[in-house]
Amino acid sequence: MSLARRQMLTGSLAGGLLAAPALVRAQSRPITWKMTSAYPKGSPFYMDGPGSATDLAKRIDAMSGGRLKIQVYGAGELIPALEGFDAVRAGTVEMNHANSYFWTGKTFAAQYFTAVPFGLNFQGINGWLYDGGGQALWDEVYAPFGLKAFAAGNTGVQMTGWFKKEIKSVDDLKGLKMRIPGLAGKVYAALGVDVKLLPGGEIFPALERGVIDAAEFVGPYQDRRLGLQKAAKYYYTTGWHESATVSELLVNKAAFAGLPKDLQAVVENAAAACNVISEGWCQRNNAEAMDDLIKNQGVIAKPLPADVVKRLREVTAQVLAENAAKDPLTKKVHDSYMAYAAKYAAWARYSEGPYHGSILDSI
Ligand code: CA
């Protein structure tokens, strides 16, 4: 056999061998991961519907051609609601779907990747995360925990909440018993509100029986589902405390690094798709629910008095500054977020602000 012929045969043999693993890989069993959630099975937006955790798993399956399968578990099915951070960190599950502000006990900086009071709106938070250095900071904050996170949903702007009595001044907040979690709870507490922490399912009975005088939950669609309009008539707007609440897809960093590059891209891009799609779903459903609440259910919707908003804003700035001063990484995230917010607001004064006003005026 000539040398050329031998080389040709060897070459074709090598080609055949090179083709084989790809074929085997395509036919091999899919990678199966577990994703837990902080929300119960069947929860609209979080667990069911366009852009939810279940929808995210379906999109990952479809985009990967069935090579990456995500088994979705509601709160309590595999682990308790708020143990996702530790479970993903330990590798018990590969993913968790929740909100990063549940993890402020681990690192206060996590607050900025969900929502901070008087913070960025949906466009603004996406600008910061995708283009303004926010994602890189999220990666930096979670790296010591062996975690990586992506924005995977957004409620859009929430509502201040339900109040049994009208709020006319800052003094009306003193002694008011209100269900409100997180950082906004700390802000209200500084103004004399008696802050109560209650899970979603306990809000309606507490408000109806007068155990609490006021409560915030999410927005018109989710709040109406709990029946809050039957327990309080004043529905204050808008969501100074949660201007565009991000849902978080938390991933075990080592497991993510172990995925082939194309499947990493599938996870990242499916999360980004759900971030946008879920917010679209909220816009329509909130619009319909708000209309129904006002027209058919006797709800009085209005903004908080300007002096109340002013005080809430002042105390928010103090609370954020105090927490940022305690930890250099939180300070770094805070400074990045606030610098971006200032830039965004300066442009929005010429762009979205007047445009939005002109749309509302023309309807
Ligand atoms: Ca809320």
Side-chain angles (χ1 to χ4, degrees):
M1 195 186 287
S2 71
L3 184 62
R5 171 90 180 127
R6 195 189 303 262
Q7 278 176 336
M8 205 174 78
L9 274 175
T10 315
S12 69
L13 186 64
L17 281 173
L18 281 175
L23 196 66
V24 169
R25 200 161 56 234
Q27 290 169 345
S28 66
R29 280 159 40 133
I31 298 166
T32 304
W33 279 10
K34 291 183 178 72
M35 174 163 65
T36 45
S37 170
Y39 297 92
K41 205 173 176 178
S43 304
F45 175 77
Y46 297 106
M47 287 294 285
D48 272 356
S52 66
T54 315
D55 190 40
L56 175 62
K58 275 190 203 149
R59 286 171 196 275
I60 290 173
D61 191 336
M63 288 164 81
S64 70
R67 287 162 55 219
L68 182 55
K69 302 226 174 258
I70 312 291
Q71 295 170 338
V72 185
Y73 298 90
E77 284 194 283
L78 209 57
I79 56 165
L82 299 182
E83 288 186 12
F85 190 94
D86 289 332
V88 177
R89 193 179 174 189
T92 314
V93 298
E94 290 83 3
M95 290 175 156
N96 186 69
H97 197 273
N99 307 97
S100 63
Y101 63 10
F102 290 129
W103 325 129
T104 49
K106 311 277 184 190
T107 166
F108 186 83
Q111 179 77 41
Y112 293 81
F113 305 107
T114 303
V116 290
F118 297 102
L120 291 159
N121 66 2
F122 181 61
Q123 287 156 302
I125 188 74
N126 286 328
W128 181 61
L129 287 174
Y130 293 129
D131 188 62
Q135 181 68 57
L137 285 166
W138 207 350
D139 292 346
E140 188 179 341
V141 168
Y142 280 4
F145 301 99
L147 298 168
K148 180 156 180 61
F150 300 101
N154 200 300
T155 63
V157 68
Q158 298 203 1
M159 290 287 279
T160 294
W162 300 87
F163 292 72
K164 280 179 170 290
K165 287 186 191 150
E166 195 175 356
I167 300 297
K168 291 179 180 159
S169 70
V170 179
D171 284 346
D172 289 338
L173 294 175
K174 290 204 175 76
L176 196 82
K177 292 190 282 291
M178 180 173 187
R179 182 269 181 189
I180 178 149
L183 195 58
K186 288 194 174 76
V187 175
Y188 274 124
L191 296 182
V193 172
D194 182 3
V195 172
K196 306 286 183 195
L197 296 176
L198 296 174
E202 290 177 28
I203 301 174
F204 174 73
L207 194 59
E208 193 190 31
R209 279 189 259 123
V211 177
I212 52 174
D213 310 305
E216 85 83 41
F217 185 45
V218 185
Y221 180 86
Q222 304 274 17
D223 294 3
R224 184 182 61 174
R225 191 168 167 263
L226 296 190
L228 302 185
Q229 71 281 6
K230 294 178 191 132
K233 283 295 167 214
Y234 291 96
Y235 197 20
Y236 280 98
T237 178
T238 168
W240 66 272
H241 64 305
E242 294 190 66
S243 49
T245 305
V246 179
S247 304
E248 173 193 72
L249 172 64
L250 193 61
V251 189
N252 180 285
K253 203 180 170 196
F256 186 77
L259 284 179
K261 289 271 180 275
D262 62 332
L263 293 186
Q264 289 181 3
V266 163
V267 170
E268 184 175 352
N269 287 289
C274 286
N275 184 30
V276 176
I277 291 162
S278 64
E279 203 266 350
W281 181 89
C282 289
Q283 292 298 340
R284 178 177 59 81
N285 283 288
N286 281 330
E288 289 171 6
M290 194 69 185
D291 192 50
D292 171 51
L293 287 168
I294 293 169
K295 284 190 183 148
N296 308 322
Q297 307 210 41
V299 167
I300 301 159
K302 57 178 175 179
L304 285 169
D307 64 325
V308 174
V309 175
K310 186 168 171 276
R311 278 300 291 142
L312 290 167
R313 191 186 283 275
E314 287 165 359
V315 176
T316 294
Q318 284 167 15
V319 170
L320 288 175
E322 278 164 21
N323 283 285
K326 288 180 198 161
D327 167 44
L329 192 49
T330 299
K331 174 89 168 64
K332 190 176 173 185
V333 175
H334 174 88
D335 289 349
S336 167
Y337 185 100
M338 291 306 165
Y340 188 88
K343 241 188 249 179
Y344 179 78
W347 164 228
R349 270 183 208 109
Y350 296 100
S351 59
E352 301 297 335
Y355 183 70
H356 216 93
S358 71
I359 291 180
L360 294 178
D361 287 346
S362 68
I363 294 170

